[in-house]
Each structure stands twice: as structure tokens, then as C-alpha cells.
Amino acid sequence: MHIQNLSTQPFDGQKPGTSGLRKQVQVFQQAHYLENFVQSIFDTLEGYQGQTLVLGGDGRFYNVPAIQTILKMAAANGFGRVLVGQQGLLSTPAVSAIIRKYKAFGGIVLSASHNPGGSDGDFGIKYNIDNGGPAPEKMTDAIYAHTQTISRYKIVEAADVDLTQTGTTQIAEMKVEVIDAVDDYAELMESLFDFGRIQQMFKSGAFRMQFDAMHAITGPYAKAILEDRLHAVGMLQNCVPLEDFGGGHPDPNLTYAKDLVDVMYGSHAPQLGAASDGDGDRNMILGSHFFVTPSDSLAVLAANAHLVPGYKQGLAGIARSMPTSGAADRVAEALGIDCYETPTGWKFFGNLLDAGKVTLCGEESFGTGSHHVREKDGLWAVLFWLNILAVRQQSVAQILREHWARFGRNFYSRYDYEGVPADAANVLMDTLRGQFDALPGRRFGDHEIEFSDDFSYTDSIDGSLSEKQGIRIGFVGGSRVVFRLSGTGTAGATLRVYLESFEADASKHDQDAQVALADLIKIADDLAGIQRHTGRDKPTVIT
Ligand code: VG1
Ligand code: CO
């Protein structure tokens, strides 16, 4: 078979963000655009000749053409074997699990996660290393540098691989194994959770859940695990992955998972509601008429981990991203273990997990996970909750109320201003930075600013430094406002404002978070001049 060595020219802006390179589909469809990025990944790697690559995506528009191209490029570049999901499908956590199980050299995930799909939507590509986790910043920086000077890429001239059936074929010297997308992942889940007990709970007929796959990748996983293995029959919706996710945002939150929210706040609501995102790494957890913030969810999983077979030997530590609330910190303190604070993005958890310093990790953006893989894992979190519910035999709301009574409640909310002009967003951030010296000591009603800074993080394992990871304004008493610009969007900028206050008094725990945080919300706007800079008088999404 013939290996072509084609000449090409660099594209601007192939810089990976919080989680890989994400662009509109039309951008990816330009001749050589995908190829340049893939060749830049391969050229950044060392020692992959003859090794195994894992490949799959969330099924969005352009998934299969991209897979066919990458297979031919992997063969031309000398990989020995590619494990590719049937139909080109693999969830992000499944890719991570498969890399680890088969000791692959790395993996490529095709996804723009929670961003909309379809021919007018977004596409994305991400490289994961041999621990199963996202490439660290040092590597994504090197890949980006390479895209700016690239002049050639290698590809084999060959027929497309049939992805519809599992089985083994060959492209040039390289073996292609089309594997079942779900089996390895399901086996891993079964090793962590008490499937017998969860199955009993469903079979008793007294417990119901509603799971919404949002027409994205988790559909086949949920069917195989929740329905076939655990007997959650008739409790799943939107489980067929569609190229455009049925026209929606596959983002599990109160705004975009409205169908599910309507069920969970309706009459005869089931005891548990859950949804996951485009690539299956996020989760939203709801009880009957009850929303669990992702920050609280992490804290509850940590406090109840001893009830779950895979975690009963205890937690080494917990890690959370900086904007995530301090609820998990309180659990860590009670358990006598460390809690680490990292920048936003799962790539910062990898070193801590590899070093055995933490067992559970979480982000406020509906991401929770553990040392079982090196990505956040949506269905894993749902199974963790099911296992806790099966053991405790209480409602989600009861579990949260008892949790707050014991640890106190961290009221929390995030305001997103999507699609604002990038210049305006940058001016807003820089104006805030300009005030750092003047802010401490300033009072707003009952609130006095204690500190303001740009969060920077030094990795305790490899010493790498990541700066400007979000502006923090801390108040006396522990309340906090954080301002950050998103690194996953493809149009304009998204300003995220994270709000948090702590309440120890249990008689005040039933307040609505928006009411409890009302003062802080106003202060955030005054401080940053959100309306003045962006012209927006309200956020696009509140979570
Ligand atoms: C967002 C979230 C972040 C998450 C990232 C990837 O990033 O805030 O917590 O890790 O998405 O999630 P940003 O830069 O837009 O705030 V996913 O589900 O896209 O892989
Ligand atoms: Co995702």
C-alpha cells in the first residue's frame, strides 16, 4: 500500500483549549485542517512505532469521516494497532478505560463535548496519553507549536474500514480492531459497584429513575448497563446518538436538559433523575423536585464512598477545580485526608491520580470521577449515586439535608454569559485585575473583601506552573466570587461568574440558592461592570 507524504501549510489558531481543539464543523472540513492537527499530535509523540492507539468519538457530525482519515494517518505514521469503537463510537471515559486496560500508547477522542453538533455545530479532537487522561499542558503547547510550522503529513491510500461490525482488519502494516464500544467499560463499572443490590432496588418496583442521554454517546452505555444489566426498564430517554443531538445542546444542566427537569419537577417524579453530555463525561443529578449541585454531589460521593464496594477501603484524597465549591474540602477535613485545588480542566487531576494522592475528583461543571479512569465519568457518577441510594434507602433530598446538617451548606451558583464579544470580555477581566491592590478592605453592605488575585497553580508532582486560571475575590467569612473566561467555546467569549457562600446554620439550609446568593450576585455585577462591558443584563445560563 502506498504511503503519501503530502505537503501542507499551517492554519492559524489550532491551539487546544480547556479540553482539546474545538472549532466549528466548517473549520474542520477545510482541506488538510484535521490532517495538520493529527500529524502535529503524532510528531509530538515519541516511541509510538508499532504501538496501540485507541480511537473513537461521540457520534456527532463528521465523526466517521474523521475516523477514516485518522486510521489512514495512523497507519502511515507507523502505529501497530488501532482499537476503534464500533460505528466510530466511544465515550470519553470509555476511551480512558480502554487505554488503561489494553496498555495502549494513547488515544484520540473526537468530540466537542457539550457544544452543539450537526453540520452547523462544533467538532473537536483531543489526545489522551498512556495513563488514559488528557495530554498535559506541556504536550498540548508542543502540539500547537508544531501546527504553526507544519509542512507535510503522511497518509496511506486505502479503502475505508468497515466500522459497522466488530472484527479485525488491516491497513498497510497496521491492525485495525473494531471493538464493542460498551463491553470494557461495563465490565469496569461492574467491578466498582454493587450491581446486585442496585438491580434488587429496581426489581422491587419501589424505586424509579429517569435517565436522559440527550441523544448523545451515553445512550448505548445506559441501555447496556442501566437497562440490560440493572433492570431500569422504561426509565431511559433520548438514547439513540444523533449527529446533531436532535438539535439540542448536549449539556446536562437545568437549562439544556429541560425535558428531564420537567419530569423531575412534575407530579409522580421518580426518585432519581440523571443526564449526561455529548461525550459522556458529565452528569447532572436530580432528586424528586430537587437539584444537586455538582459541587455538593462530589462532597456527597466522598462522604458516602465507604458504602460502595470499589471505594470501601477509603479515599486517599480529593481534588476539585478552583471554581468548585469548598463542600468537598469539609468532607476531606472530617475524613482526615487532603483536598487539592487545581485549575479548571481534567488534565490537572492526572498527576495527582497517578501519584495515588487522590481517589475522587470533581468540577462544578457537572464533572465527577475517580482513579478508575483519568477522565470525568458521567455514568459512573450515576451508578455511584444509585449504589448509595440502594444502601441508604433514603431520598436524594434527605441525603443532602443530612449532609448539610453535618458539614454545613455551601450555597453555589454559576452564571454564564455566552457569546459576548471577546474584546469586551478581555477588557472586563483586565479592569478587574487593575483593581487588585484597591479591593481588599472594600465593603459592600455586610460583605468585606479580604483578598483578590489571579489563581495560579504549581503542580506538586512535575512542578509545572499554570497562571491566570481565574480571578478570585474572597470575602471575610469565606464567601467568594470567581471570574473566568471559558476555554471550550468556538464563538466570541463566554464569561463565567462563580458564586459561593457558606452557611453553618441548618435552619437556613432550605433557602433557594439564588436567594441566599442575591447579595453576592449584585456585588459581582458592581465589581466587574458586567452590564457595562458586555451589554448583558442577565446571563444566558444559570446553573
Ligand atoms: C468547561 C468546564 C470545565 C470542563 C471543560 C471540559 O471548560 O468549565 O470544568 O473541564 O468544560 O468539559 P471552560 O473552559 O469552558 O469553562 V467537557 O465535558 O467539554 O470535556
Ligand atoms: Co464532556
Side-chain angles (χ1 to χ4, degrees), residues 197-447:
R197 197 146 181 181
I198 300 172
Q199 195 188 82
Q200 231 172 32
M201 177 169 71
F202 280 118
K203 279 192 167 164
S204 76
F207 183 87
R208 284 184 303 130
M209 79 177 295
Q210 189 71 22
F211 180 81
D212 192 343
M214 302 187 83
H215 291 301
I217 189 67
T218 318
Y221 294 85
K223 268 201 149 330
I225 296 172
L226 296 176
E227 202 168 86
D228 299 347
R229 289 177 171 74
L230 296 171
H231 290 268
V233 180
M235 301 181 195
L236 315 182
Q237 64 191 51
N238 302 326
C239 278
V240 177
L242 299 176
E243 286 198 330
D244 66 349
F245 308 118
H249 278 242
D251 196 355
N253 61 38
L254 296 175
T255 302
Y256 294 128
K258 195 173 172 306
D259 290 358
L260 176 70
V261 172
D262 288 347
V263 172
M264 296 308 297
Y265 282 84
S267 47
H268 309 296
Q271 286 94 329
L272 180 71
S276 56
D277 71 334
D279 61 332
D281 57 0
R282 297 187 179 202
N283 71 94
M284 173 167 68
I285 299 292
L286 299 159
S288 169
H289 297 252
F290 196 94
F291 168 61
V292 182
T293 70
S295 297
D296 275 348
S297 181
L298 172 66
V300 168
L301 299 191
N304 291 280
H306 59 283
L307 304 177
V308 174
Y311 302 88
K312 67 172 187 292
Q313 60 283 59
L315 307 178
I318 306 172
R320 63 162 174 85
S321 67
M322 180 275 284
T324 304
S325 95
D329 304 41
R330 297 174 192 280
V331 177
E333 200 185 336
L335 294 175
I337 56 177
D338 287 331
C339 190
Y340 296 82
E341 188 178 40
T342 59
T344 294
W346 214 261
K347 59 188 169 211
F348 295 102
F349 293 134
N351 279 347
L352 294 169
L353 289 162
D354 284 351
K357 288 183 182 282
V358 302
T359 309
L360 295 186
C361 306
E363 294 192 280
E364 50 63 43
S365 54
F366 299 85
T368 7
S370 88
H371 63 171
H372 71 290
V373 288
R374 293 294 179 274
E375 289 278 7
K376 53 189 185 280
D377 189 343
L379 204 47
W380 167 89
V382 178
L383 292 167
F384 208 127
W385 267 97
L386 282 169
N387 202 144
I388 293 171
L389 291 168
V391 175
R392 288 188 53 168
Q393 302 279 321
Q394 288 173 300
S395 71
V396 170
Q398 274 170 325
I399 289 175
L400 262 294
R401 288 207 179 93
E402 284 183 18
H403 185 93
W404 295 332
R406 179 171 168 208
F407 297 99
R409 176 170 180 188
N410 291 68
F411 283 103
Y412 191 83
S413 189
R414 186 177 102 184
Y415 280 34
D416 291 333
Y417 300 79
E418 296 176 325
V420 304
D423 291 350
N426 287 322
V427 170
L428 180 151
M429 295 293 279
D430 286 339
T431 310
L432 267 174
R433 287 195 179 99
Q435 301 176 59
F436 281 170
D437 290 343
L439 286 179
R442 238 179 100 182
R443 294 190 74 90
F444 295 82
D446 294 341
H447 297 269

Side-chain angles (χ1 to χ4, degrees), residues 18 22 113 277 281-282 363 365 376 484 486-488 496:
T18 312
R22 290 187 193 173
S113 186
D277 71 334
D281 57 0
R282 297 187 179 202
E363 294 192 280
S365 54
K376 53 189 185 280
R484 237 191 104 246
S486 158
T488 56
R496 303 200 195 284

Side-chain angles (χ1 to χ4, degrees), residues 52-55 95 99 104-109 126-130:
T52 298
L53 181 74
V54 178
L55 178 60
V95 168
I99 292 173
F105 189 86
I108 291 180
V109 189
K126 184 174 78 159
Y127 182 73
N128 281 23
I129 58 175
D130 61 353

